[in-house]
Amino acid sequence: MVLVEGTGGSPCVGEARYGSDMARWVALLRGVNVNGISIRSTDLATLFRDLGCSDVRTVLASGNVVFTADGDLGSVKGVVEQGLRDRFGYDAWIVLVPHERLAAVLDGFPFPSDPDRHDYVVFGSDDRALDDLVADLALDDTVEQVARGDGVVYWSCPKGSSTDTVFAKRAAAARFKRTTTTRNTNTLRKLL
């Protein structure tokens, strides 16, 4: 990714001068449209376009953006987070996932689906945080199931209990706020 000055002095994603590393990405924002941080999907898409991203598509109103950008994970993540902070005035951070990885994440879901359950994937930008999330976890596996995956934690719980279970309470702890975000597997299928 090449950072260039855009209009108004804000950073943009520009095309590389010596070739292109254009890749399809999924930005998963945490805490959007809850706790007083409201961002309309159209405004979110406009920001990504203003940053120089192409093929921008928002999915649902919960902070999911699929887009194409030039650069590696660290540089794209940094530009997007700063753009969110500058435009919307909150302490923004994202989990950035290569789009092609989503299929493997979904294929790796280890628990059987059931119409009475919700299936989730917890994405993390820090493997140590994901390890801490599942460390010494005492679960009733007749209620919820949790398994560590590659860069994710898989979780299945009964419908209506996604804020009440042992794992839900741990995942909601402040120490995981900046490094993890959770998505329902149905949302992930839409992102694909």
Side-chain angles (χ1 to χ4, degrees):
M1 170 182 296
V2 176
L3 300 180
V4 296
E5 287 298 310
T7 58
S10 61
C12 297
V13 179
E15 290 187 1
R17 292 190 172 107
Y18 304 108
S20 180
D21 293 326
M22 296 299 276
R24 195 84 171 132
W25 299 98
V26 179
L28 304 172
L29 289 66
R30 179 172 172 136
V32 173
N33 296 331
V34 295
N35 300 326
I37 301 170
S38 295
I39 302 174
R40 294 181 341 169
S41 291
T42 54
D43 295 337
L44 188 58
T46 297
L47 168 69
F48 275 73
R49 286 185 195 98
D50 289 349
L51 291 173
C53 302
S54 60
D55 305 319
V56 176
R57 181 173 60 96
T58 60
V59 177
L60 303 174
S62 56
N64 305 294
V65 185
V66 181
F67 63 100
T68 301
D70 186 30
D72 63 25
L73 189 139
S75 59
V76 172
K77 183 178 187 295
V79 167
V80 169
E81 287 175 338
Q82 191 60 53
L84 289 165
R85 289 179 189 119
D86 292 346
R87 179 76 52 95
F88 300 112
Y90 77 104
D91 187 19
W93 61 269
I94 65 170
V95 174
L96 187 64
V97 181
H99 188 264
E100 72 270 3
R101 187 167 172 264
L102 280 183
V105 167
L106 280 168
D107 288 345
F109 197 84
F111 310 119
S113 291
D114 183 294
D116 296 327
R117 300 184 69 80
H118 279 302
D119 296 333
Y120 295 99
V121 178
V122 180
F123 290 86
S125 57
D126 179 349
D127 275 341
R128 292 172 298 181
L130 292 174
D131 291 340
D132 289 348
L133 195 56
V134 298
D136 304 321
L137 196 59
L139 297 176
D140 177 350
D141 62 359
T142 64
V143 175
E144 64 182 334
Q145 300 165 313
V146 174
R148 180 74 160 86
D150 181 19
V152 299
V153 172
Y154 296 106
W155 174 38
S156 179
C157 65
K159 285 186 176 178
S161 69
S162 61
T163 59
D164 302 330
T165 68
V166 171
F167 182 77
K169 291 175 182 174
R170 181 175 285 185
R175 66 185 169 139
F176 299 114
K177 181 180 179 182
R178 293 184 181 271
T179 56
T180 64
T181 190
T182 304
R183 294 297 185 273
N184 187 291
T185 55
N186 294 327
T187 300
L188 297 177
R189 285 184 192 92
K190 289 177 184 175
L191 291 168
L192 282 174

Short mmCIF file of all heavy atoms in Angstrom, two decimals, residues 1-2 12-16 20-26 48 51-56 66-73 75-77 79-80 96:
data_model
loop_
_atom_site.label_atom_id
_atom_site.label_comp_id
_atom_site.label_asym_id
_atom_site.label_seq_id
_atom_site.Cartn_x
_atom_site.Cartn_y
_atom_site.Cartn_z
N MET A 1 0.84 -1.17 0.00
CA MET A 1 0.00 0.00 0.00
C MET A 1 0.89 1.23 0.00
O MET A 1 1.85 1.30 0.73
CB MET A 1 -0.87 -0.01 1.25
CG MET A 1 -1.61 1.29 1.45
SD MET A 1 -2.58 1.29 2.92
CE MET A 1 -3.73 0.04 2.54
N VAL A 2 0.53 2.16 -0.79
CA VAL A 2 1.24 3.43 -0.84
C VAL A 2 0.34 4.48 -0.22
O VAL A 2 -0.80 4.65 -0.65
CB VAL A 2 1.60 3.80 -2.29
CG1 VAL A 2 2.25 5.16 -2.34
CG2 VAL A 2 2.49 2.74 -2.91
N CYS A 12 -4.88 8.31 2.03
CA CYS A 12 -5.63 7.50 1.08
C CYS A 12 -4.83 6.27 0.72
O CYS A 12 -3.63 6.23 0.88
CB CYS A 12 -5.90 8.28 -0.21
SG CYS A 12 -6.92 9.72 0.02
N VAL A 13 -5.51 5.29 0.22
CA VAL A 13 -4.86 4.11 -0.32
C VAL A 13 -4.63 4.41 -1.79
O VAL A 13 -5.57 4.70 -2.51
CB VAL A 13 -5.75 2.87 -0.16
CG1 VAL A 13 -5.09 1.65 -0.74
CG2 VAL A 13 -6.10 2.66 1.29
N GLY A 14 -3.41 4.37 -2.22
CA GLY A 14 -3.13 4.67 -3.61
C GLY A 14 -2.59 3.45 -4.34
O GLY A 14 -2.25 2.46 -3.72
N GLU A 15 -2.54 3.51 -5.63
CA GLU A 15 -1.98 2.40 -6.38
C GLU A 15 -0.46 2.44 -6.27
O GLU A 15 0.15 3.50 -6.30
CB GLU A 15 -2.38 2.50 -7.86
CG GLU A 15 -3.85 2.23 -8.04
CD GLU A 15 -4.23 2.16 -9.50
OE1 GLU A 15 -3.36 2.32 -10.36
OE2 GLU A 15 -5.39 1.95 -9.75
N ALA A 16 0.11 1.27 -6.12
CA ALA A 16 1.56 1.18 -6.02
C ALA A 16 2.19 1.59 -7.35
O ALA A 16 1.66 1.30 -8.41
CB ALA A 16 1.97 -0.25 -5.67
N SER A 20 1.17 -3.95 -8.41
CA SER A 20 0.00 -3.85 -7.55
C SER A 20 -0.16 -5.11 -6.72
O SER A 20 0.06 -6.21 -7.20
CB SER A 20 -1.25 -3.63 -8.40
OG SER A 20 -2.38 -3.55 -7.59
N ASP A 21 -0.52 -4.92 -5.48
CA ASP A 21 -0.83 -6.02 -4.58
C ASP A 21 -2.31 -5.96 -4.21
O ASP A 21 -2.68 -6.15 -3.07
CB ASP A 21 0.02 -5.94 -3.31
CG ASP A 21 1.49 -6.15 -3.58
OD1 ASP A 21 1.80 -6.95 -4.48
OD2 ASP A 21 2.31 -5.54 -2.88
N MET A 22 -3.15 -5.64 -5.20
CA MET A 22 -4.57 -5.51 -4.92
C MET A 22 -5.11 -6.82 -4.36
O MET A 22 -4.85 -7.88 -4.89
CB MET A 22 -5.34 -5.13 -6.19
CG MET A 22 -4.97 -3.77 -6.75
SD MET A 22 -5.28 -2.41 -5.63
CE MET A 22 -7.00 -2.13 -5.95
N ALA A 23 -5.84 -6.69 -3.27
CA ALA A 23 -6.41 -7.87 -2.62
C ALA A 23 -7.81 -7.52 -2.13
O ALA A 23 -8.14 -6.37 -1.88
CB ALA A 23 -5.54 -8.30 -1.44
N ARG A 24 -8.63 -8.55 -1.99
CA ARG A 24 -9.99 -8.40 -1.46
C ARG A 24 -9.91 -8.62 0.04
O ARG A 24 -9.31 -9.59 0.50
CB ARG A 24 -10.88 -9.45 -2.14
CG ARG A 24 -12.34 -9.17 -1.97
CD ARG A 24 -12.81 -8.19 -3.02
NE ARG A 24 -14.26 -8.09 -2.98
CZ ARG A 24 -14.89 -6.94 -2.98
NH1 ARG A 24 -14.24 -5.81 -3.04
NH2 ARG A 24 -16.20 -6.91 -2.92
N TRP A 25 -10.51 -7.71 0.79
CA TRP A 25 -10.45 -7.73 2.25
C TRP A 25 -11.85 -7.66 2.85
O TRP A 25 -12.77 -7.15 2.23
CB TRP A 25 -9.67 -6.52 2.77
CG TRP A 25 -8.26 -6.45 2.32
CD1 TRP A 25 -7.76 -5.71 1.28
CD2 TRP A 25 -7.14 -7.12 2.89
NE1 TRP A 25 -6.41 -5.89 1.17
CE2 TRP A 25 -6.00 -6.75 2.15
CE3 TRP A 25 -6.99 -8.00 3.95
CZ2 TRP A 25 -4.73 -7.23 2.45
CZ3 TRP A 25 -5.73 -8.48 4.25
CH2 TRP A 25 -4.61 -8.09 3.50
N VAL A 26 -11.95 -8.08 4.11
CA VAL A 26 -13.15 -7.89 4.90
C VAL A 26 -12.73 -7.17 6.17
O VAL A 26 -11.89 -7.67 6.93
CB VAL A 26 -13.84 -9.22 5.26
CG1 VAL A 26 -15.06 -8.98 6.11
CG2 VAL A 26 -14.19 -10.00 4.00
N PHE A 48 -14.58 4.39 2.88
CA PHE A 48 -13.68 3.43 2.25
C PHE A 48 -13.33 3.87 0.82
O PHE A 48 -12.18 3.75 0.40
CB PHE A 48 -14.27 2.02 2.28
CG PHE A 48 -14.00 1.29 3.57
CD1 PHE A 48 -14.67 1.64 4.74
CD2 PHE A 48 -13.07 0.27 3.63
CE1 PHE A 48 -14.42 0.98 5.92
CE2 PHE A 48 -12.80 -0.40 4.81
CZ PHE A 48 -13.49 -0.04 5.98
N LEU A 51 -10.88 6.61 0.94
CA LEU A 51 -9.54 6.11 1.27
C LEU A 51 -8.86 5.46 0.07
O LEU A 51 -7.72 5.02 0.16
CB LEU A 51 -9.61 5.11 2.43
CG LEU A 51 -9.99 5.68 3.79
CD1 LEU A 51 -10.18 4.57 4.81
CD2 LEU A 51 -8.94 6.68 4.27
N GLY A 52 -9.58 5.36 -1.04
CA GLY A 52 -9.01 4.81 -2.26
C GLY A 52 -9.32 3.35 -2.49
O GLY A 52 -8.80 2.73 -3.41
N CYS A 53 -10.19 2.78 -1.66
CA CYS A 53 -10.58 1.38 -1.84
C CYS A 53 -11.58 1.28 -2.98
O CYS A 53 -12.30 2.22 -3.29
CB CYS A 53 -11.22 0.85 -0.55
SG CYS A 53 -10.15 0.99 0.89
N SER A 54 -11.62 0.12 -3.60
CA SER A 54 -12.56 -0.09 -4.70
C SER A 54 -13.46 -1.28 -4.39
O SER A 54 -13.22 -2.01 -3.42
CB SER A 54 -11.81 -0.30 -6.02
OG SER A 54 -10.96 -1.43 -5.92
N ASP A 55 -14.47 -1.47 -5.23
CA ASP A 55 -15.41 -2.59 -5.06
C ASP A 55 -15.92 -2.67 -3.62
O ASP A 55 -16.01 -3.74 -3.04
CB ASP A 55 -14.76 -3.92 -5.46
CG ASP A 55 -14.19 -3.92 -6.86
OD1 ASP A 55 -14.87 -3.36 -7.75
OD2 ASP A 55 -13.09 -4.44 -7.06
N VAL A 56 -16.28 -1.53 -3.05
CA VAL A 56 -16.70 -1.44 -1.65
C VAL A 56 -18.15 -1.89 -1.51
O VAL A 56 -19.02 -1.47 -2.26
CB VAL A 56 -16.55 0.00 -1.13
CG1 VAL A 56 -17.07 0.11 0.31
CG2 VAL A 56 -15.10 0.46 -1.23
N VAL A 66 -16.68 -5.20 2.78
CA VAL A 66 -15.87 -5.98 1.85
C VAL A 66 -15.34 -4.98 0.83
O VAL A 66 -16.10 -4.15 0.31
CB VAL A 66 -16.71 -7.06 1.15
CG1 VAL A 66 -15.86 -7.88 0.20
CG2 VAL A 66 -17.38 -7.97 2.18
N PHE A 67 -14.04 -5.04 0.54
CA PHE A 67 -13.44 -4.06 -0.36
C PHE A 67 -12.14 -4.59 -0.95
O PHE A 67 -11.60 -5.59 -0.49
CB PHE A 67 -13.17 -2.74 0.39
CG PHE A 67 -12.16 -2.88 1.51
CD1 PHE A 67 -10.84 -2.50 1.32
CD2 PHE A 67 -12.54 -3.38 2.74
CE1 PHE A 67 -9.92 -2.63 2.35
CE2 PHE A 67 -11.61 -3.51 3.77
CZ PHE A 67 -10.30 -3.13 3.58
N THR A 68 -11.66 -3.89 -1.97
CA THR A 68 -10.38 -4.21 -2.58
C THR A 68 -9.43 -3.06 -2.31
O THR A 68 -9.81 -1.89 -2.42
CB THR A 68 -10.54 -4.41 -4.10
OG1 THR A 68 -11.47 -5.48 -4.31
CG2 THR A 68 -9.22 -4.76 -4.77
N ALA A 69 -8.20 -3.40 -1.92
CA ALA A 69 -7.20 -2.37 -1.63
C ALA A 69 -5.81 -2.91 -1.93
O ALA A 69 -5.59 -4.12 -1.96
CB ALA A 69 -7.28 -1.91 -0.17
N ASP A 70 -4.91 -2.00 -2.12
CA ASP A 70 -3.53 -2.31 -2.41
C ASP A 70 -2.75 -2.29 -1.10
O ASP A 70 -2.83 -1.32 -0.35
CB ASP A 70 -3.00 -1.23 -3.36
CG ASP A 70 -1.60 -1.52 -3.85
OD1 ASP A 70 -1.24 -2.70 -3.96
OD2 ASP A 70 -0.87 -0.55 -4.11
N GLY A 71 -2.00 -3.34 -0.80
CA GLY A 71 -1.15 -3.34 0.38
C GLY A 71 -1.28 -4.59 1.21
O GLY A 71 -2.07 -5.48 0.94
N ASP A 72 -0.46 -4.63 2.26
CA ASP A 72 -0.48 -5.77 3.16
C ASP A 72 -1.45 -5.52 4.31
O ASP A 72 -1.95 -4.41 4.49
CB ASP A 72 0.92 -6.10 3.67
CG ASP A 72 1.53 -4.98 4.49
OD1 ASP A 72 0.78 -4.16 5.07
OD2 ASP A 72 2.77 -4.92 4.57
N LEU A 73 -1.67 -6.55 5.10
CA LEU A 73 -2.65 -6.47 6.17
C LEU A 73 -2.37 -5.31 7.13
O LEU A 73 -3.28 -4.54 7.45
CB LEU A 73 -2.68 -7.80 6.95
CG LEU A 73 -3.81 -7.93 7.95
CD1 LEU A 73 -4.40 -9.32 7.92
CD2 LEU A 73 -3.33 -7.61 9.35
N SER A 75 -0.65 -2.47 6.81
CA SER A 75 -0.81 -1.12 6.28
C SER A 75 -2.26 -0.80 5.96
O SER A 75 -2.74 0.31 6.24
CB SER A 75 0.09 -0.90 5.06
OG SER A 75 -0.20 -1.82 4.04
N VAL A 76 -3.00 -1.76 5.40
CA VAL A 76 -4.42 -1.52 5.11
C VAL A 76 -5.18 -1.30 6.41
O VAL A 76 -5.97 -0.36 6.54
CB VAL A 76 -5.03 -2.69 4.30
CG1 VAL A 76 -6.54 -2.54 4.17
CG2 VAL A 76 -4.38 -2.81 2.93
N LYS A 77 -4.91 -2.12 7.41
CA LYS A 77 -5.57 -2.00 8.71
C LYS A 77 -5.31 -0.62 9.33
O LYS A 77 -6.22 0.05 9.81
CB LYS A 77 -5.07 -3.10 9.64
CG LYS A 77 -5.72 -3.13 11.00
CD LYS A 77 -5.18 -4.31 11.82
CE LYS A 77 -5.86 -4.54 13.12
NZ LYS A 77 -5.72 -3.51 14.11
N VAL A 79 -4.47 2.26 7.86
CA VAL A 79 -5.11 3.34 7.11
C VAL A 79 -6.61 3.36 7.39
O VAL A 79 -7.20 4.42 7.62
CB VAL A 79 -4.84 3.21 5.60
CG1 VAL A 79 -5.74 4.11 4.78
CG2 VAL A 79 -3.38 3.52 5.30
N VAL A 80 -7.24 2.19 7.42
CA VAL A 80 -8.68 2.14 7.66
C VAL A 80 -9.01 2.62 9.07
O VAL A 80 -9.92 3.42 9.27
CB VAL A 80 -9.24 0.73 7.39
CG1 VAL A 80 -10.67 0.60 7.89
CG2 VAL A 80 -9.15 0.39 5.90
N LEU A 96 -9.07 -7.22 10.37
CA LEU A 96 -9.02 -7.29 8.92
C LEU A 96 -8.70 -8.71 8.48
O LEU A 96 -7.73 -9.31 8.96
CB LEU A 96 -7.95 -6.32 8.40
CG LEU A 96 -7.87 -6.12 6.90
CD1 LEU A 96 -9.15 -5.50 6.36
CD2 LEU A 96 -6.68 -5.24 6.55
#
